[in-house]
Amino acid sequence: MKLIIHGGFFSESSQSDETKFAKQKSLKNIAEKSFEFLKNHSASETVVFAVSLLEDDPLFNAGIGSQIQRDGKIRMSASLMDSATQKFSGVINIQNVKNPVLVAKALMNEDDRVLGDTGAKQYAEQHGFEDFSTEISQRRSEYEAKVKSEGKGTVGCVALDKDGRLAAATSTGGKGFELPGRISDSATVAGNFANSYCAVSCTGVGEDIVSNGTAVKIATRVTDGLSIQHAFQKTFIELKEIDGFAGAIAIDHLGNIHHQESHPTMVFASYDGNEFRIFD
C-alpha cells in the first residue's frame, strides 16, 4: 500500500514560514489519516477520502479554500479515475458545494460521468448534496486576501491499495481572478489519470498541463515500459519546451512513488506506513 498527496505550490517569496509549517502539518495529518483509511478501503475510496480532507482545509485551493473568478464567484472542478474499472468521472465549474470530489465520486455510477456548471449543481442537489453558498459567501473576502498575498494550488491524491489497484483524484478552485467559466485541467485526463500501470495527479497552470497532456502522457509511457522516473523526465522535458508550469505526483503498479515539478516548490507528502516524506 502506498499513498501520496499534493496541495499545489509554495512560494518562498510570497508565503510566510508560518504558512509553510501549517501546510506541512496539515499534509502530514491528512496523509496519515488517509493511509489508515487505505488499510480497509480501495484505492478509489481512499483518494476521494484524502481529497475531501484537503478540500475542507482553507490552506489549499479546493473546496472551502477555493479562489474567486473575475466575477466574484467560486467555480470548482474535481475528478476521479479508478484503475479497476478504467472509468473517469468529474465535475467542471460546479458552484456552491463543499466537496466537489464527492460529487465526482457519485457520478461514477452514471453513464454520463462528467458534468459541468448548472448540470453538475443540479445533479448534486438531486443526490442530497447540501448547498454551501452561505458559507462560501462569508469567507469570500478572506479568500480574496489570501489569494493576493499568498497564492494556493490544486490538491490531489494517488493511492495503491493492498489488492494492487491504483486510483487518482484531483480538485481545484481555479487560478484566481480568471475569466468566468474558465476550465482547468483537474477534471480532464491531462490533469488526473489512472490505469493498471500508473496513476497521476497534477497541479500548476491548467492550460500548460492540458497542452502537455501531462498525466496521461506519464501513465501511457509507464504502460509502454518506461520506468516511472523516465516517464516523468521525458514528459517534463516536453513541458519545458512550451515553458510550462506544473507539478505531478504518481505511483506505478510496482509501488514506486515519484513526484516532480517544473518550478519550486510543489507541496506534497507521501506515506507507505514506514517512510514519511514531505516537502521542505
Side-chain angles (χ1 to χ4, degrees), residues 137-203:
S137 178
Q138 290 172 347
R139 292 176 171 84
R140 188 162 288 157
S141 61
E142 178 185 347
Y143 295 157
E144 184 171 347
K146 285 187 176 182
V147 169
K148 288 180 176 178
S149 65
E150 295 184 351
K152 294 179 285 186
T154 298
V155 305
C157 179
V158 174
L160 172 70
D161 64 28
K162 59 181 180 290
D163 296 316
R165 296 171 296 197
L166 290 158
T170 306
S171 182
T172 191
K175 289 194 298 186
F177 305 104
E178 65 266 58
L179 290 171
R182 175 255 182 186
I183 294 172
S184 76
D185 65 289
S186 297
T188 76
V189 295
N192 191 79
F193 189 81
N195 64 17
S196 59
Y197 290 88
C198 188
V200 187
S201 172
C202 296
T203 184

Side-chain angles (χ1 to χ4, degrees), residues 40-279:
N40 298 301
H41 296 83
S42 70
S44 184
E45 291 169 321
T46 301
V47 296
V48 171
F49 174 78
V51 169
S52 70
L53 294 179
L54 289 160
E55 288 176 335
D56 289 344
D57 190 330
L59 281 169
F60 305 108
N61 176 25
I64 68 168
S66 292
Q67 297 186 11
I68 304 163
Q69 294 193 345
R70 205 170 292 180
D71 60 356
K73 295 182 179 180
I74 292 172
R75 298 178 178 88
M76 302 165 286
S77 297
S79 67
L80 167 66
M81 192 160 186
D82 178 15
S83 73
T85 62
Q86 200 58 64
K87 289 182 178 181
F88 180 99
S89 63
V91 291
I92 297 172
N93 284 337
I94 192 170
Q95 297 185 55
N96 301 336
V97 297
K98 184 182 179 186
N99 295 109
V101 74
L102 297 182
V103 186
K105 179 186 178 184
L107 282 164
M108 271 291 183
N109 299 316
E110 307 291 344
D111 291 332
D112 303 319
R113 293 191 297 275
V114 181
L115 298 181
D117 200 8
T118 56
K121 178 56 176 168
Q122 288 172 1
Y123 180 87
E125 291 172 347
Q126 292 165 2
H127 288 78
F129 291 91
E130 294 182 2
D131 188 276
F132 200 65
S133 56
T134 302
E135 290 86 346
I136 287 176
S137 178
Q138 290 172 347
R139 292 176 171 84
R140 188 162 288 157
S141 61
E142 178 185 347
Y143 295 157
E144 184 171 347
K146 285 187 176 182
V147 169
K148 288 180 176 178
S149 65
E150 295 184 351
K152 294 179 285 186
T154 298
V155 305
C157 179
V158 174
L160 172 70
D161 64 28
K162 59 181 180 290
D163 296 316
R165 296 171 296 197
L166 290 158
T170 306
S171 182
T172 191
K175 289 194 298 186
F177 305 104
E178 65 266 58
L179 290 171
R182 175 255 182 186
I183 294 172
S184 76
D185 65 289
S186 297
T188 76
V189 295
N192 191 79
F193 189 81
N195 64 17
S196 59
Y197 290 88
C198 188
V200 187
S201 172
C202 296
T203 184
V205 177
E207 286 76 5
D208 296 344
I209 293 166
V210 169
S211 295
N212 183 242
T214 305
V216 70
K217 270 186 179 179
I218 291 169
T220 299
R221 284 167 170 159
V222 173
T223 302
D224 289 344
L226 282 186
S227 69
I228 193 169
Q229 292 87 352
H230 288 147
F232 264 81
Q233 182 181 38
K234 186 170 178 60
T235 302
F236 273 77
I237 287 172
E238 293 167 349
L239 181 70
K240 186 175 181 180
E241 290 171 357
I242 61 168
D243 195 27
F245 186 104
I249 59 172
I251 303 175
D252 68 16
H253 65 295
L254 301 175
N256 297 306
I257 299 177
H258 198 72
H259 64 89
Q260 189 169 332
E261 64 265 285
S262 62
H263 298 72
T265 298
M266 185 174 60
V267 172
F268 79 94
S270 64
Y271 191 51
D272 62 5
N274 294 309
E275 183 181 9
F276 183 86
R277 298 184 63 198
I278 193 164
F279 80 99

